Amino acid sequence: MVRLTRIYTRTGDKGKTSLGDGARVDKHALRVEAYGTVDEANAVLGLARLHAEAGEHAILARIQNDLFDLGADLCTPPAGDEQPGTRLRVVQSQVDRLEAEIDAANAKLAPLESFILPAGTPLAAHLHHARTVVRRAERLITALAGREPVNPVAVAYVNRLSDLLFVLARAANAGGAADVLWTPGANR
């Protein structure tokens, strides 16, 4: 367990931060940008939870915890000789759980007949916001993976998570009945 006795350390005052393996990098490094964006998504999910009912609240609470796992995974670059279980990494069972939750929630929704706008209930709007932040995190993580080692399961996790948030947003809009549909060219 992490124990924080002091919040400020002054070690980042010159634009550097420490990764989980102790390496010092620029605060604007792609790896830091990736896990910082995961943190941003987590904060948006905290807002969504303010509007969630018990079942949704439990799913979002699990996801928020997973996002801390993902941040820990991303902040510690995989080592070539790393033994399984020596570092906190996102694992396939977390991706599998997201897929099961997507399937369960989507089974209750009417098929899409149009693209939908990120709107509706307060919960749906926050979930759509979180989805877009997760998509940005995914773009950053895949860019990072093109340059440095990244746990491939982390990429799969954020990809599935954005899908789940989309389905949960539709569910929050009266099972999709209150989705706000896009009308192409409506304001020409």
Side-chain angles (χ1 to χ4, degrees):
M1 186 54 70
V2 175
R3 183 170 187 226
L4 301 173
T5 57
R6 226 171 112 180
I7 301 304
Y8 65 90
T9 62
R10 297 187 176 115
T11 60
D13 290 353
K14 294 183 178 170
K16 299 278 189 184
T17 192
S18 293
L19 297 179
D21 63 0
R24 299 285 293 167
V25 298
D26 291 329
K27 287 189 173 190
H28 60 271
L30 187 53
R31 184 171 296 278
V32 177
E33 188 71 25
Y35 68 73
T37 304
V38 168
D39 189 37
E40 182 182 348
N42 206 339
V44 177
L45 287 175
L47 292 172
R49 285 178 65 184
L50 295 173
H51 303 282
E53 295 181 12
E56 299 153 334
H57 196 275
I59 290 171
L60 297 178
R62 280 193 304 273
I63 291 167
Q64 283 194 292
N65 199 79
D66 282 355
L67 289 177
F68 260 76
D69 290 353
L70 178 59
D73 186 329
L74 292 170
C75 96
T76 307
D81 60 349
E82 183 175 294
Q83 297 299 313
T86 58
R87 295 280 189 183
L88 181 58
R89 300 283 178 215
V90 174
V91 295
Q92 187 60 43
S93 62
Q94 290 169 291
V95 176
D96 295 342
R97 190 195 75 238
L98 292 179
E99 289 177 356
E101 290 170 338
I102 291 166
D103 293 342
N106 199 45
K108 300 173 188 171
L109 300 174
L112 280 172
E113 304 284 329
S114 172
F115 287 107
I116 61 173
L117 301 178
T121 66
L123 175 57
H126 285 298
L127 290 170
H128 279 300
H129 183 191
R131 173 185 55 78
T132 65
V133 176
V134 168
R135 282 289 190 209
R136 180 163 29 98
E138 181 181 19
R139 291 189 300 273
L140 291 165
I141 293 166
T142 57
L144 176 64
R147 296 181 189 177
E148 300 177 31
V150 170
N151 174 7
V153 181
V155 177
Y157 184 88
V158 292
N159 190 13
R160 270 351 151 271
L161 178 56
S162 62
D163 294 336
L164 176 59
L165 295 175
F166 177 78
V167 171
L168 291 177
R170 291 198 67 220
N173 277 339
D179 282 338
V180 180
L181 302 181
W182 172 47
T183 306
N187 299 310
R188 289 183 177 181

